């Protein structure tokens, strides 16, 4: 008899964005003439930078010619891309990461969840609340939690991020082995200082824990003092894996390219308490289960590091950050407490009401889609997230509509 993974039954009814899509399509059915403005899901709207398109086309032409055609690529990704990543994204920050510590992948979403596969099922996982829902859902799927009770899964250490702690969770008090951190944070937009991050690194050393650091929004950091990478912190190489993505920084959500950094010195422990190095485990996992990112896509990502590619990607990010500033200013002037939007593309707004109610109100009165904070965790209740990923015209119109509706 084929039996199902029983842990899937513990998952809440549907993934957040599926729920939103259902409500939006119902609204559209009832209001077929209304132009709905989506400031909900964090998906980019502008096309790929021209430098990427050019490189993409050239690579496709190479695939069309027997002399330059390529079959299976190197499992970790092509070295032409990994070398540039190491140089521009880490060495330039003074972070000691080399090209062979980088694994090119098709997304931070898959990597942040697949990485759990390397660990025993009895590890305790710490997950920020609120945060990108994938960490919790995949922890549940992997059987590392108990059941849901009063909004919390048993066995999970929730790292609460609230107004009181400026959305930077305190260090856990009980035992934790695997710690997810996400900065700049989705959804709160909060960022972490070097001093605060150093405390997490020290905690991981003291507790023989591992940090999975999701820096998918690193490109949106504006303040000079905010760390872009956990490897800017001394000692992080031993206790942290970092996830990055070209999805938001280069408009690659539909093209798919990201990378994960697993330093050669990053350790976990075997059952005898001896150190084992995660690099070789992740390499083994990826080379068995992952087919790599296509050559044209890696070429397109490589173009993001050229002089014109860097300029064009910065223009993209600046464009969204201008939207973020408008959203934050308008919502603040309407009397709402906001965070984010200064070093992140998300604005986290205290809606002073149930977050799904606020969602329905914005949809029904303004035809604007936000993301209800409750979908990101218990501590997100009462908040909504607005995303800067849209056209300036849509953001401006959405703000006009919200002003009129409120
Ligand atoms: N990490 C965070 C925090 C995200 O918000 C997202 C997407 O919204 C991802 C990862 C997914 O990145 P990718 O498109 O590379 O899978």
């Amino acid at each position: 008899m084929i039996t199902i993974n029983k842990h899937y039954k513990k998952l809440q009814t549907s993934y957040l964005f599926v729920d939103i899509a259902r409500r939006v399509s119902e609204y559209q059915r009832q209001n077929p003439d209304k132009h709905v403005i989506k400031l909900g899901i964090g998906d980019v709207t502008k096309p790929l930078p021209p430098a990427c398109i050019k490189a993409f086309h050239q690579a496709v032409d190479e695939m069309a010619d027997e002399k330059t055609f390529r079959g299976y690529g190197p499992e970790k990704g092509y070295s032409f891309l990994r070398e540039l990543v190491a140089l521009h994204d880490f060495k330039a920050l003074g972070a000691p990461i080399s090209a062979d510590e980088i694994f090119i992948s098709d997304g931070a979403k898959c990597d942040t969840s697949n990485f759990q596969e390397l660990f025993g099922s009895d590890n305790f996982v710490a997950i920020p609340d609120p945060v990108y829902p994938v960490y919790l859902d995949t922890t549940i799927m992997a059987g590392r939690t108990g059941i849901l009770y009063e909004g919390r899964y048993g066995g999970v250490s929730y790292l609460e991020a609230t107004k009181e702690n400026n959305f930077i969770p305190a260090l856990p008090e009980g035992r934790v082995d695997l710690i997810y951190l996400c900065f700049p944070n989705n959804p709160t937009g909060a960022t972490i200082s070097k001093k605060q991050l150093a405390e997490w690194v020290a905690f991981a050393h003291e507790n023989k824990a591992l940090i999975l650091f999701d820096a998918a929004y690193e490109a949106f950091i504006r303040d000079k003092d905010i760390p872009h990478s956990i490897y800017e912190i001394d000692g992080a190489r031993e206790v942290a894996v970092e996830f990055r993505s070209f999805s938001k920084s280069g408009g690659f959500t539909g093209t798919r390219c990201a990378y994960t950094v697993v330093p050669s010195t990053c350790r976990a422990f075997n059952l005898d308490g001896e150190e084992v190095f995660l690099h070789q485990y992740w390499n083994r996992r990826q080379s068995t289960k992952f087919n790599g990112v296509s050559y044209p896509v890696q070429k397109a990502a490589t173009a993001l590091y050229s002089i014109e590619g860097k300029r064009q990607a910065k223009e993209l990010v600046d464009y969204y950050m201008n939207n973020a500033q408008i959203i934050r200013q308008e919502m603040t002037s309407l009397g709402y407490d906001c965070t984010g939007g200064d070093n992140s593309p998300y604005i986290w707004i205290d809606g002073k009401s149930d977050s799904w109610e606020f969602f329905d109100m914005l949809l029904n009165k303004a035809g604007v889609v936000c993301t209800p904070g409750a979908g990101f965790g218990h501590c997100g209740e009462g908040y909504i997230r607005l995303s800067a990923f849209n056209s300036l015209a849509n953001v401006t119109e959405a703000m006009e509509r919200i002003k009129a509706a409120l």
Side-chain angles (χ1 to χ4, degrees), residues 96-288:
I97 294 297
S98 63
D100 52 312
E101 295 177 315
I102 287 151
F103 292 81
I104 305 297
S105 81
D106 61 350
K109 183 191 206 172
C110 343
D111 285 1
T112 52
S113 29
N114 290 335
F115 215 87
Q116 283 198 25
E117 260 186 54
L118 305 192
F119 309 110
S121 54
D122 49 356
N123 281 288
F124 279 96
V125 185
I127 301 177
D129 176 5
V131 86
Y132 182 51
V134 169
Y135 315 148
L136 178 62
D137 280 0
T138 55
T139 303
I140 298 164
M141 290 171 176
R144 292 198 170 87
T145 73
I147 53 163
L148 183 66
Y149 179 68
E150 294 186 347
R152 298 289 206 211
Y153 284 90
V156 174
S157 170
Y158 287 91
L159 305 173
E160 296 194 350
T162 60
K163 210 179 265 188
E164 287 66 41
N165 59 23
N166 287 320
F167 303 99
I168 307 291
L171 297 171
E173 280 175 8
R175 172 189 156 191
V176 299
D177 306 304
L178 189 63
I179 303 162
Y180 278 100
L181 291 180
C182 174
F183 290 107
N185 184 268
N186 175 13
T188 66
T191 50
I192 192 163
S193 69
K194 279 192 182 159
K195 186 170 171 288
Q196 288 163 326
L197 197 50
E199 288 169 12
W200 282 95
V201 167
F203 176 89
H205 274 281
E206 279 155 29
N207 293 278
K208 297 191 167 177
L210 182 82
I211 299 172
L212 297 182
F213 189 74
D214 186 346
Y217 296 99
E218 161 279 331
F220 294 83
I221 293 174
R222 289 286 176 276
D223 294 355
K224 286 201 183 59
D225 296 336
I226 296 172
H228 288 247
S229 165
I230 196 164
Y231 304 117
E232 291 178 61
I233 309 299
D234 286 344
R237 281 180 53 87
E238 286 69 42
V239 298
V241 168
E242 181 165 310
F243 304 93
R244 295 270 192 106
S245 173
F246 300 110
S247 282
K248 313 294 160 75
S249 59
F252 270 58
T253 53
T255 308
R256 309 306 312 150
C257 198
Y259 64 85
T260 290
V261 187
V262 191
S264 58
T265 49
C266 186
R267 54 63 182 140
F269 300 88
N270 66 19
L271 291 180
D272 297 326
E274 292 157 352
E275 277 188 351
V276 292
F277 293 99
L278 289 173
H279 186 97
Q280 61 216 53
Y281 280 78
W282 186 240
N283 197 31
R284 185 74 173 87
R285 192 264 172 211
Q286 290 296 81
S287 48
T288 302

Side-chain angles (χ1 to χ4, degrees), residues 377-391:
H378 200 62
C379 295
E381 183 48 83
Y383 288 82
I384 59 152
R385 186 195 75 177
L386 286 177
S387 152
F389 294 118
N390 213 312
S391 66

